[in-house]
Amino acid sequence: MSVLEIAAREPSAFRMGRFGGWSLASKLAAEDNAEDQDGLSPHERLTCRLHRRWAHQCIASPAHVIPVTGHRWCRGCRTSTSVAVDELSATVTLTCRRCGQASATRAAQQIIRSCQASIGAARRLRNSAAPKPRSLAGREI
């Protein structure tokens, strides 16, 4: 079950953050609960339970290499893949360190989807927290 399916079924599980949207802390808590109680796959999270950060911010950690499932792993070369995350363009690329091939496995696609969704969630949080522009008279524009 994905976090979006859980949110649609039980919106109260995702508490509002102090800026009227999800905060990272509330998103972490909601996903922890959804994983424990509702069957959310740890690979579909937008946050990282281990590092307590957005998924795209720590996916390059060696802790996220899982050879058995193929997450961040080149099976042909039997080595971990490198990850490049570009937050501006919301692109995520996994490349083998040995053969230089881009990973196209289901696990790689899952990482890309989760990281792009994580980038979007972090961006929405930043935008909701940004101060509104004011005119010289001090009124909101």
Side-chain angles (χ1 to χ4, degrees):
M1 182 174 289
S2 77
V3 71
L4 297 175
E5 292 167 330
I6 293 168
R9 186 174 54 113
E10 191 180 339
S12 63
F14 294 89
R15 296 184 302 274
M16 297 300 276
R18 81 175 211 229
F19 299 112
W22 292 332
S23 68
L24 174 58
S26 67
K27 187 75 166 151
L28 279 160
E31 286 188 345
D32 289 350
N33 185 56
E35 188 179 338
D36 294 341
Q37 305 297 320
D38 299 321
L40 173 67
S41 167
H43 301 294
E44 295 292 336
R45 291 178 63 123
L46 306 186
T47 62
C48 176
R49 186 175 208 139
L50 176 66
H51 297 107
R52 311 306 290 169
R53 302 179 60 85
W54 293 107
H56 71 277
Q57 293 175 330
C58 66
I59 190 61
S61 166
H64 293 293
V65 176
I66 311 171
V68 172
T69 61
H71 286 84
R72 291 217 32 234
W73 190 254
C74 177
R75 291 184 187 204
C77 296
R78 301 178 65 146
T79 190
S80 62
T81 59
S82 62
V83 181
V85 176
D86 184 338
E87 288 190 51
L88 292 176
S89 65
T91 57
V92 181
T93 307
L94 286 84
T95 309
C96 177
R97 300 169 192 266
R98 287 198 184 137
C99 68
Q101 296 295 310
S103 184
T105 64
R106 284 180 113 171
Q109 295 307 310
Q110 188 175 45
I111 288 171
I112 292 167
R113 271 193 323 273
S114 293
C115 286
Q116 287 175 331
S118 172
I119 290 167
R123 189 176 287 164
R124 285 188 298 278
L125 179 63
R126 271 194 309 272
N127 290 343
S128 69
K132 294 183 179 168
R134 296 186 179 271
S135 67
L136 292 176
R139 296 186 188 124
E140 287 186 16
I141 297 175

